[in-house]
Amino acid sequence: MFEVRNLSYKYPRNREMTIRGMNFDIRQGEIFGLLGPSGVGKSTTQKIMVKLLTDFEGSIYYRNRDLKIYDKDYYQEVGVGFEVPVHFSKLTAEENINFFKKLYKNQADTDTLMKRLGIFEDRKKKVSEFSKGMKIRLNFVRAMLNNPVMLFLDEPTIGLDPANARILKNLIKEYREGGGTVLLSTHLMNDVDELCDRVAFMANGKIVETDTPQSLKRKYGESSVEITYVKGDNLQKKSFEMETLSKNNEFFELVRNEKIVSMHSKETTLDDIFIKVTGVESYA
Amino acid sequence: MTVLFLKELRSNWRSFRYPAFLLILLFFAILDPLMLKYMNEIISYFATGMEIIMPDPTPEAAFLSYLSDVSQIGIMVLIFMAMGMVAREKENGVTGWLLSKPIGRWQYLAAKLLALYSVIIIGLIACSALAYLYTMSLLGQAALNGSILATICLLVFTIYIATITFTFSTLLKTPLLAGGPTLLLFFLSGIINMLITNSDAANFYPNTLLSLMKPLLESTATAADLTWPMAVTTILILLMILLAGYRFSKMEI
Ligand SMILES: Nc1ncnc2c1ncn2[C@@H]1O[C@H](COP(=O)(O)OP(=O)(O)O)[C@@H](O)[C@H]1O
Ligand SMILES: [Mg+2]
């Protein structure tokens, strides 16, 4: 779907480059996760790919054609959900949707979408009376107005309660099952584990790692067993590598001789990988 | 395009920006003829004992007073109303959102400009007609030809200032950054106008459109006197639209 090569970008007012040579592909029908700490350039990358920031270096190919060749018909095919939901607050939710639906040749069944997201009842209210979560849900509906073939989502679940985040994630999955392709940027690893077919980690304006969540876990995985036991009056902890556990005498000694309080197996989470490859704590 | 145009009208109407401007026009259309008619009574009421000799108010003076109030206070309200038309949307992300729809950048600007122009044109013509008729019922009929020409002068000048506001709003980042320079330019051009009003340069100066309103009403100027200032102002309007559109088409949103 997309081939991005040596993408670099500097905001006109900044001295430093924000994006410094990114390379990645997005394949048709996948959810591609763009991950990284806040301020690393995820939203900037999305804005470049939806042609709002145009003065970039490097090349971007969409469906084997240079992105620069596309005119406004590009937007007939793609759906965009920005990080900060923007709406016309003086217009009602329904007007916000119906006004802009008219711009498209291909129009989605927005009533069903609104019903599933629980904002159908409030469609006659002005958006200025909406709560933050409702605006975020409306924002998603508006990204889907045209039944896009390619969907850009920038932190779609931030600010949603768990129940609504659940519904939204299901909708994103269904969208993929229906053949859609998604570029999803986020710093929430829960979403990634559940949704993404492949992920790319960003650090310092570059992509430092791309793979499926499973192989990343395997690659960076150091599964271990942590044992807590009583030693005198204190509790003590000790970790053992899972791989070599069957040959580890120290482990057997401990299990045989000490009073064990708990025993946990620890698998590497995407959070651990996030910290490792980007050097920054995520705050999932 | 139609969609954008209608959206622009509707959200500006509901946010009270267009109504504020129209109410100001209406206010002067009704108040000014009334003020002129009763000016002498009012003054003599407050200044009892003094003998003040005032000429009787003419219908031309009443209509002119409406036009010049609009050309000052009306235009200032207009600047406040329009200074955010693009800048506000750039600031809060609406522009980015709209431009990620099948909407061209020129289209986006054109819809806004057309909405603004239509409100100005319709509002000014309607309120001027009202002021004219109201003056007629209070003080008698002002010269029709001159009144129409003077109204056209005000209309073109107002559109000129609206276009300046629009251009600054497109080029600059926030509504206040756009409104400040526009107001400054508006005052400054008024001052410059006073300095050059009797020189030949006045012919090529937009504010001359305002200076001509009085002589047009009094039939001491004719339509022919409008040719140059009208041409210059129109060219300036077009140039500003082109500048705004060109810069916007390359802007990083
Ligand atoms: N309009 C802008 N002008 C200048 N710098 C910007 C602008 N938007 C974002 N930046 C800078 O670019 C960097 C990346 O921002 P962003 O893409 O929003 O990061 P992310 O989405 O990964 O949190 C940040 O350092 C931010 O300060
Ligand atoms: Mg972001």
Side-chain angles (χ1 to χ4, degrees), chain A residues 38-39 41-44 83 154-155 185:
Chain A
S38 292
K42 303 183 294 295
S43 301
T44 305
E83 182 169 12
D154 196 353
E155 315 260 10
S185 56

Side-chain angles (χ1 to χ4, degrees), chain A:
Chain A
M1 211 66 170
F2 272 102
E3 288 148 44
V4 178
R5 295 290 172 267
N6 300 318
L7 178 67
S8 298
Y9 184 77
K10 187 178 86 59
Y11 279 102
R13 261 178 287 272
N14 292 6
R15 230 179 290 140
E16 296 264 304
M17 304 285 285
T18 297
I19 309 289
R20 312 160 195 233
M22 277 175 74
N23 289 288
F24 62 95
D25 292 341
I26 301 177
R27 298 171 194 156
Q28 175 135 24
E30 75 176 353
I31 300 182
F32 185 83
L34 192 57
L35 320 183
S38 292
V40 76
K42 303 183 294 295
S43 301
T44 305
T45 309
Q46 294 238 12
K47 281 186 193 160
I48 294 171
M49 294 177 73
V50 298
K51 288 169 69 79
L52 288 179
L53 302 173
T54 51
D55 194 18
F56 59 84
E57 282 162 37
S59 66
I60 301 179
Y61 278 80
Y62 172 67
R63 296 186 160 200
N64 302 319
R65 280 174 68 205
D66 194 336
L67 189 64
K68 296 202 169 177
I69 298 174
Y70 286 89
D71 62 1
K72 64 183 164 50
D73 282 342
Y74 176 61
Y75 302 108
Q76 290 284 358
E77 303 189 0
V78 305
V80 186
F82 286 112
E83 182 169 12
V84 186
V86 283
H87 302 285
F88 300 99
S89 48
K90 301 290 171 197
L91 305 183
T92 67
E94 199 171 42
E95 284 169 341
N96 261 287
I97 284 175
N98 291 342
F99 253 123
F100 298 103
K101 217 164 141 179
K102 292 188 198 119
L103 295 168
Y104 293 111
K105 293 175 195 140
N106 199 347
Q107 300 179 354
D109 175 9
T110 45
D111 282 358
T112 306
L113 267 175
M114 280 202 281
K115 277 179 196 153
R116 291 213 28 206
L117 285 162
I119 47 174
F120 187 69
E121 305 290 303
D122 298 308
R123 66 190 184 284
K124 306 261 187 227
K125 273 195 196 160
K126 279 194 196 157
V127 177
S128 51
E129 296 160 26
F130 267 35
S131 73
K132 182 153 179 269
M134 289 161 82
K135 285 183 192 164
I136 295 169
R137 283 177 272 158
L138 182 61
N139 197 36
F140 181 79
V141 178
R142 295 202 309 170
M144 299 286 286
L145 283 182
N146 54 336
N147 278 323
V149 295
M150 172 77 213
L151 186 57
F152 294 91
L153 296 175
D154 196 353
E155 315 260 10
T157 60
I158 296 275
L160 280 185
D161 59 89
N164 280 310
R166 166 89 278 123
I167 297 172
L168 192 75
K169 283 190 253 182
N170 287 341
L171 286 170
I172 297 173
K173 278 194 235 166
E174 283 167 33
Y175 173 73
R176 175 196 42 202
E177 305 319 323
T181 309
V182 185
L183 172 61
L184 174 96
S185 56
T186 182
H187 61 260
L188 298 185
M189 295 305 124
N190 280 342
D191 293 2
V192 177
D193 238 340
E194 201 184 325
L195 294 173
C196 296
D197 300 304
R198 288 191 313 130
V199 295
F201 282 97
M202 279 184 83
N204 296 318
K206 281 189 187 143
I207 286 182
V208 287
E209 185 68 82
T210 317
D211 217 327
T212 64
Q214 294 77 11
S215 13
L216 282 173
K217 282 184 191 168
R218 228 174 292 129
K219 179 169 170 191
Y220 289 90
E222 290 168 4
S223 321
S224 60
V225 179
E226 190 182 78
I227 300 183
T228 313
Y229 60 97
V230 184
K231 181 104 186 172
D233 287 339
N234 298 324
L235 288 180
Q236 293 256 335
K237 280 186 183 179
K238 203 154 183 95
S239 283
F240 299 95
E241 247 182 62
M242 193 92 86
E243 294 253 308
T244 54
L245 204 58
S246 60
K247 299 182 198 95
N248 196 325
N249 276 328
E250 201 189 347
F251 170 76
F252 290 118
E253 290 286 305
L254 205 142
V255 176
R256 210 173 292 138
N257 302 329
E258 305 292 343
K259 185 164 184 237
I260 310 286
V261 178
S262 69
M263 212 159 150
H264 293 292
S265 67
K266 282 179 67 183
E267 286 96 41
T268 326
T269 61
L270 279 168
D271 264 315
D272 301 329
I273 302 173
F274 184 99
I275 296 167
K276 228 176 217 168
V277 302
T278 66
V280 184
E281 302 256 343
S282 89
Y283 29 93

